[in-house]
Amino acid sequence: GTGARRLSAVLRALPLEQRYAIVLAFFGELTYGQIADHTGVPLGIVKSRIRLGLQHLRHELRNFEPSPTGNQPLRLPAA
């Protein structure tokens, strides 16, 4: 739907490192430690990339309204 397209567009606009970390965490269901191991990036940097990426997603999606079909706005976890 429209929400999925909007999220996809906003994800594509993120820097690659942030997008990759977010996709692994939330869609791949990896822990931050597993992402660090998988990418060879220190844990603190993984956490920072996810935090910054989520802040950007929240900012971009803040004004996104649910569609008349009753879809709810996307709720992102706190960074």
Side-chain angles (χ1 to χ4, degrees), residues 34-65:
Q34 289 170 326
I35 295 168
D37 290 343
H38 178 74
T39 60
V41 173
L43 180 60
I45 292 177
V46 168
K47 290 179 179 181
S48 178
R49 288 177 178 174
I50 292 172
R51 179 179 49 82
L52 291 171
L54 289 176
Q55 286 174 348
H56 183 89
L57 287 174
R58 265 190 223 91
H59 175 75
E60 292 298 319
L61 296 172
R62 178 176 46 202
N63 296 322
F64 180 70
E65 295 293 329

Side-chain angles (χ1 to χ4, degrees), residues 2-75:
T2 302
R5 284 192 300 271
R6 175 82 172 134
L7 177 60
S8 179
V10 174
L11 277 170
R12 283 192 309 271
L14 289 176
L16 179 60
E17 296 86 1
Q18 292 175 17
R19 180 179 359 138
Y20 191 51
I22 287 173
V23 167
L24 288 175
F26 295 99
F27 299 102
E29 299 182 357
L30 297 181
T31 65
Y32 291 4
Q34 289 170 326
I35 295 168
D37 290 343
H38 178 74
T39 60
V41 173
L43 180 60
I45 292 177
V46 168
K47 290 179 179 181
S48 178
R49 288 177 178 174
I50 292 172
R51 179 179 49 82
L52 291 171
L54 289 176
Q55 286 174 348
H56 183 89
L57 287 174
R58 265 190 223 91
H59 175 75
E60 292 298 319
L61 296 172
R62 178 176 46 202
N63 296 322
F64 180 70
E65 295 293 329
S67 74
T69 61
N71 293 336
Q72 296 300 312
L74 180 65
R75 303 275 185 232

